[in-house]
Amino acid sequence: FIFEVSDLEILENGKIYRGSNRGKIKTDNQLELTSDNFEYLKKINQLEANGDVILIDPVNKLIMGAQKIFYLKNEEKIYTVGKTIVIIEGEFKEYTVEGYDLVLLKNKMILYSDEKTIISDNFSNIYKLDEFEYYINEETLKGKNIEITSNNNENKSDKLFFDTGFFDLREKKFLAKNINIKFHKTLFDNNKNDP
């Protein structure tokens, strides 16, 4: 870790580093964390950042914001506590993930949570899930109790409901269980039709 902070306290013979007054921490794998405060435990190689934390991963085109983020360097595991927003730039789309207590396995590029989460893309599609796993490099999504709203900002919005599902967001294909779909009224060019 490289610390770029104005206030740094080194405790217990270099075993604990504490920073305050907002600063930036860089890692050898190009991650950047900016936060109000941080604590680094050298023995277990763990960084805790809190207070308007922003994590930037330029290699994987990912930005994460939360009030508290833990980075377990030896495991390459990042997890947040509380409300979290993640912006991921995919190959063809950009995704925004809003949820609580998210986990990112950096070596596998898997983002997941057991909490209710909303994922939206730049084509006005919204995925609401009770729990999910998102494989970032493959742009695939697995989840439970899913509600999808397509074309959210248009009059031609459809709603899809699934108990469980697996979605290939790049290829626009999915495999799901217990499907219920509510199509928009003008689907068959007839406003009086209710498909």
Side-chain angles (χ1 to χ4, degrees):
F1 291 102
I2 299 168
F3 303 102
E4 296 178 4
V5 293
S6 55
D7 295 338
L8 180 65
E9 223 181 332
I10 301 173
L11 307 166
E12 296 183 25
N13 295 322
K15 294 178 183 174
I16 299 173
Y17 293 68
R18 283 195 186 130
S20 57
N21 256 351
R22 197 120 185 111
K24 185 184 288 187
I25 299 105
K26 294 180 180 180
T27 68
D28 56 352
N29 56 2
Q30 298 184 349
L31 283 183
E32 287 184 14
L33 284 110
T34 304
S35 68
D36 292 342
N37 306 294
F38 72 87
E39 182 173 89
Y40 173 63
L41 305 176
K42 188 174 183 178
K43 186 174 183 177
I44 59 173
N45 210 10
Q46 173 184 298
L47 177 69
E48 175 189 341
N50 62 63
D52 293 325
V53 185
I54 298 169
L55 179 142
I56 299 173
D57 183 347
V59 174
N60 295 297
K61 300 177 182 174
L62 179 140
I63 299 171
M64 180 181 287
Q67 281 303 306
K68 186 178 279 190
I69 291 179
F70 288 88
Y71 180 23
L72 309 175
K73 181 76 171 105
N74 293 343
E75 300 172 44
E76 286 299 333
K77 179 178 182 180
I78 298 165
Y79 66 92
T80 68
V81 176
K83 186 173 182 178
T84 307
I85 296 176
V86 181
I87 298 170
I88 304 165
E89 190 177 316
E91 189 175 337
F92 301 106
K93 296 180 185 175
E94 182 175 287
Y95 301 95
T96 302
V97 180
E98 296 178 51
Y100 293 85
D101 305 336
L102 300 178
V103 178
L104 174 65
L105 302 177
K106 185 129 171 45
N107 287 339
K108 299 177 182 177
M109 289 310 291
I110 299 172
L111 181 68
Y112 67 90
S113 177
D114 293 333
E115 302 291 329
K116 291 185 184 249
T117 304
I118 299 172
I119 300 174
S120 56
D121 65 28
N122 54 331
F123 291 104
S124 300
N125 298 309
I126 298 173
Y127 302 79
K128 294 180 181 177
L129 311 104
D130 281 358
E131 60 184 74
F132 80 97
E133 286 182 18
Y134 179 58
Y135 298 80
I136 295 171
N137 294 336
E138 293 83 22
E139 293 185 51
T140 56
L141 175 67
K142 286 186 349 183
K144 291 185 179 177
N145 296 325
I146 306 154
E147 176 187 325
I148 299 174
T149 305
S150 66
N151 305 313
N152 187 51
N153 296 332
E154 300 176 18
N155 291 335
K156 297 180 178 182
S157 180
D158 300 323
K159 286 198 181 273
L160 299 87
F161 303 89
F162 310 98
D163 283 351
T164 59
F166 180 84
F167 306 87
D168 184 333
L169 301 175
R170 192 180 294 160
E171 298 292 324
K172 299 179 185 173
K173 297 178 183 178
F174 67 89
L175 178 63
K177 181 178 176 184
N178 294 337
I179 302 168
N180 183 4
I181 301 174
K182 294 182 180 180
F183 293 110
H184 62 280
K185 286 189 174 286
T186 60
L187 179 66
F188 301 114
D189 296 323
N190 181 354
N191 256 357
K192 294 178 184 176
N193 189 16
D194 198 4

